[in-house]
Amino acid sequence: MPRRIWLLCLWLALWSSACTVVPAVWLGSTPTPTIEYAIYVVQPGDTLSAIALRYGMTIEQLIALNSDTYPSLARDPSSLRAGWRLRVTAATSGTASASVTPHFDVAAVPQEIIEQVNTARAQRGLLLLRADVTLTRIARDRSEDMIARNYFSHYDPATGQEPLLRYLQAAKFAYRYAGENIAEIKNDAGWVPPWLTVAARYSTYELANEFVKGWLNSAEHRANIFNTHYRRTGVALAISPDGRRIVATQVFAD
């Protein structure tokens, strides 16, 4: 069954941002479920990422719900202030679990990706990357958002902004250098039986190796993997409900 792998990379410095590849974006309409909203009063010490995590939302969803009332959130997620009344929802995007049971261990693939990336770095005499909780959460939000809104890009299709920058700001994550590699594997055919979807065809090692091999075969993605500034990383996957599309995100920082 035909399948396709797409890769994109992003490199950021504190004082500038740039994408080294012109992004390819797939846009599609996503049914909007009926959702009941609640109000959360921001407490001292809260961050946008922590609130989003608490209510099973992505940062982009939380910003979209509240940008009319608090427009500064769209420009700078770290502008969050105690006492603000945010609209929140506990409804999930539906991407957390796929109707097609994956053949691989969803939790183990990110660790396998980090191990393979570190093996490649060690072969060049570079320091190994260590997994970071905040970067892992950002990677998960990025992957789930691309599945939920059916796009594939370093740029938000609605705003044109870079979600990675917004997520780092929202988490109040201190960094000088940061970057992002994304990749997707998907079935191209109009209809695919469940046992032939990409989610059902890869083992844990095979899927991790497919992503890492693709990144290493691309000069732009290699530049992120072998960047000497980077010390921390986070990796996460998201799977479409029908198992026909898998998105991987790896975030890097110094």
Side-chain angles (χ1 to χ4, degrees), residues 81-113:
R81 295 291 180 267
W84 284 7
R85 297 171 59 84
L86 300 182
R87 297 177 72 194
V88 296
T89 176
T92 62
S93 63
T95 62
S97 60
S99 58
V100 173
T101 302
H103 183 57
F104 51 86
D105 185 334
V106 177
V109 172
Q111 183 57 43
E112 180 63 33
I113 288 175

Side-chain angles (χ1 to χ4, degrees), residues 53 57 62 69 75 84 86 106 109 111 124 137 154 160 219 224 254:
L53 180 64
M57 306 170 67
L62 189 55
T69 306
R75 297 189 299 270
W84 284 7
L86 300 182
V106 177
V109 172
Q111 183 57 43
R124 293 205 174 189
R137 186 169 64 245
H154 295 296
N224 268 340
D254 57 334

Side-chain angles (χ1 to χ4, degrees), residues 67 140 185:
S67 58
R140 184 187 64 240
I185 299 176

Side-chain angles (χ1 to χ4, degrees), residues 39-56:
I39 298 296
Y40 174 77
V41 179
V42 179
Q43 303 299 307
D46 274 345
T47 65
L48 208 62
S49 60
I51 297 171
L53 180 64
R54 184 179 309 166
Y55 287 93

